[in-house]
Amino acid sequence: MKDRREFIKIGALGTVGLLTNTACAQNDSEDNTTGVLEDKGTTKPIVVSTWNHGEAANKAAWEILEKNGTALDAVEAGVRVTESDPENMTVGLGGLPDRDGNVTLDACIMDHQSRCGSVAFLQHIENPISVARKVMEDTPHVMLAGQGALEFALQSGFKKTDLLTEKAKDAWQKWLKKADYKPVINRENHDTIGMLALDAEGNLSGACTTSGLAYKMHGRVGDSPIIGAGLFVDNEVGAACATGVGEAVIRVAGSAMIVELMRQGKSPEEACKEMVKRILAKHPSEKDMQVGFIALNKNGEFGCYSIYEGFNIALNDNKRNKMIDASYEKKWDRN
Ligand code: GLY
């Protein structure tokens, strides 16, 4: 694990060096966690999720999966933990606000029947993932946004909550002194929890939720609530989700493409890597832009890949409960 402080100011650093990572995350662990099963059997149940906050989220998801619960229930319960954690400043309650001081949330959920639900630009609701599930289950629509999403949530029994914690407010007020905007995504200041699960029945589901980029323009929506960008599930093939600068993920329909690449025979990690390379090719002059993907296929094989070092994922299955550093395309050049 890298020194925590190394990741804090990455966005302020200058040029980057292009280095292909040789320490493939899934090969550097003590128990040879490759994400690809040696016996080509199926690992199920299994859950994977983004960043360090995935550890606590996976625990809640695993409690459901190990009792033969559904992947859908597991991913919802899992990411709700992160949404309700006031110390987490990138998801749900306690998320950093937009430049005007509003905490605005995006989330989506998708199941093995290709049912999906999403909320975007939702304010005042602690668990947007559960509102997204209600959109999926109780409406003929996929996506509700803004005031309409809030009204639907309140009508559905969700409580109005002040999401701006003192800690987030202090950070925003400090930022206001310079109001120098730059998306910064790294291990400390990451942006999303994405979670993918395969249950004992062999069904896949995924969830993705975020407060979006800190100090974004009011009204900005990222990739996280967009089915096909922040999350995609096809129960015939696999599932994928994204973290990082949402605009870049939307431009390539990142998660849907990863699932298609797996359909064509790529391993989860190969598919994630190809989409990272595609994003880099389409953003040749972008510096310091982090994007990470995770993917899980029908056999319970998983993979992850990011533009920059520092992305990590949480994994739980019957044998493993661990954090894994993702493979990456570039090292930060701090000189
Ligand atoms: N990936 C989250 C966002 O860009 O809002």
Side-chain angles (χ1 to χ4, degrees), residues 45 94 98 101 108 135-136 162 179 202 222 231 248 259:
D98 66 17
C108 73
V135 172
M136 175 175 95
D162 182 1
L231 173 71
V259 172

Side-chain angles (χ1 to χ4, degrees), residues 206-220:
C208 186
T209 175
T210 186
S211 52
L213 295 176
Y215 320 130
K216 62 197 174 187
M217 288 174 70
H218 187 56
R220 180 265 185 191

Side-chain angles (χ1 to χ4, degrees), residues 119-278:
V119 287
F121 189 51
L122 174 63
Q123 298 184 60
H124 311 304
I125 301 292
E126 185 173 313
N127 294 116
I129 197 67
S130 295
V131 185
R133 183 166 176 178
K134 281 256 172 226
V135 172
M136 175 175 95
E137 292 181 335
D138 295 356
T139 82
H141 305 303
V142 165
M143 189 171 204
L144 292 178
Q147 187 63 23
L150 176 60
E151 282 165 16
F152 170 74
L154 296 175
Q155 283 160 13
S156 302
F158 291 85
K159 297 276 169 300
K160 207 165 179 178
T161 306
D162 182 1
L163 300 175
L164 186 64
T165 57
E166 282 306 311
K167 190 173 156 194
K169 192 170 169 186
D170 285 352
W172 169 59
Q173 284 172 339
K174 279 197 191 98
W175 175 81
L176 275 180
K177 288 184 185 148
K178 281 193 180 166
D180 182 17
Y181 181 65
K182 181 168 184 143
V184 179
I185 314 278
N186 51 52
R187 189 175 287 178
E188 300 309 312
N189 183 29
H190 39 70
D191 70 317
T192 306
I193 180 148
M195 177 179 282
L196 309 172
L198 179 70
D199 63 29
E201 291 289 314
N203 288 322
L204 288 158
S205 285
C208 186
T209 175
T210 186
S211 52
L213 295 176
Y215 320 130
K216 62 197 174 187
M217 288 174 70
H218 187 56
R220 180 265 185 191
V221 170
D223 61 315
S224 301
I226 298 179
I227 300 295
L231 173 71
F232 197 69
V233 177
D234 184 328
N235 206 47
E236 286 177 7
V237 178
C241 64
T243 179
V245 177
E247 284 76 2
V249 176
I250 293 169
R251 285 185 193 110
V252 297
S255 294
M257 289 297 170
I258 287 171
V259 172
E260 283 313 296
L261 289 166
M262 291 193 289
R263 193 192 305 276
Q264 290 164 21
K266 299 254 187 238
S267 72
E269 179 158 329
E270 285 167 352
C272 293
K273 182 173 180 174
E274 181 158 335
M275 288 315 294
V276 161
K277 284 179 173 289
R278 198 172 297 176

Side-chain angles (χ1 to χ4, degrees), residues 11-22:
L13 296 168
T15 52
V16 294
L18 186 64
L19 277 180
T20 299
N21 175 29
T22 49

